[in-house]
Amino acid sequence: MLERITLPVTSFAQNCSLIWCSQSRKAALIDPGGETERLLAAVAERGLELDSILLTHGHLDHVGATGELKEKTGVPIIGPEREDAFWIEALAQQAQMFGFPPVKGFAPDRWLEQGDSVSIGEETLEVYHCPGHTPGHVVLLHRAQRLVFVGDVLFHGSIGRTDFPRGNHLQLIDSILHTLLPLGDDITFVPGHGPEGTLGEERLHNPFLR
């Protein structure tokens, strides 16, 4: 079974997800936007072994603790899709743009592509490329538990911004309508900010998808 908790971090209240395999106790952090020591404490409190860092996209509020976590733990950085490399390479400029203090740089150990999968112990996440908010944005689906981690693609009653460099509103809507929503109305989505919801609720009620 895949277990999880959501850990909102930084002034952006970005939803970092700590997920783990209940059998092996191997764990991953999805989108560690900051507060490194707090994230490591959450891992230690549960007796978990951090096995990887998973990134949905390259915006600083989602990756701010990644370099420091890599330095402290040595675990591989997995994701996002390669088209977001320019965001990761520009971390210093992002820190200025978002009003963050300087953060440690990093390079992913593995880029993700549509159709890839990622293992956390005995559990598997399926990778879907959902560009629009950023060109290399991915979402991570745990099919058995009807759960998807969507980063900043979709929010409860809203969608991701597309006014940053290489954002594309039409591409984002296409990603939601033709990649994300077809995964199933019953699927719970964990967004990068704010409350969780179901894809079915958003399909019916999200004003941006009408």
Side-chain angles (χ1 to χ4, degrees), residues 37-105:
E37 295 305 325
R38 179 174 161 231
L39 298 180
L40 289 174
V43 174
E45 285 166 11
R46 291 161 179 82
L48 305 174
E49 177 190 349
L50 188 64
D51 199 46
S52 60
I53 299 163
L54 308 179
L55 304 179
T56 64
H57 66 293
H59 282 166
L60 182 64
D61 59 324
H62 286 250
V63 307
T66 301
E68 192 173 10
L69 283 166
K70 173 73 171 184
E71 184 176 62
K72 289 178 178 292
T73 68
V75 301
I77 301 165
I78 301 173
E81 201 266 350
R82 193 180 295 272
E83 286 295 317
D84 265 22
F86 78 103
W87 277 118
I88 293 169
E89 291 162 2
L91 285 176
Q93 294 95 313
Q94 285 200 68
Q96 290 182 326
M97 181 171 72
F98 286 117
F100 266 60
V103 300
K104 186 171 182 60

Side-chain angles (χ1 to χ4, degrees), residues 29 51 68 77 84 96 105 107 111 145 147 150 160 168 183 189:
L29 286 164
D51 199 46
E68 192 173 10
I77 301 165
D84 265 22
Q96 290 182 326
W111 298 103
Q145 287 172 226
L147 177 70
V150 301
N168 185 309
L183 297 177
F189 71 93

Side-chain angles (χ1 to χ4, degrees), residues 102-165:
V103 300
K104 186 171 182 60
F106 67 90
D109 296 284
R110 174 188 168 194
W111 298 103
L112 293 173
E113 297 180 0
Q114 173 76 25
D116 282 352
S117 63
V118 177
S119 296
I120 302 96
E122 298 178 17
E123 304 298 322
T124 300
L125 298 174
E126 300 173 21
V127 176
Y128 293 83
H129 183 209
C130 287
H133 178 65
T134 69
H137 202 301
V138 297
V139 304
L140 302 166
L141 172 70
H142 191 276
R143 187 172 294 274
Q145 287 172 226
R146 314 302 287 162
L147 177 70
V148 64
F149 300 90
V150 301
D152 285 355
V153 171
L154 182 69
F155 302 111
H156 183 58
S158 189
I159 60 173
R161 293 176 60 172
T162 55
D163 56 336
F164 293 125

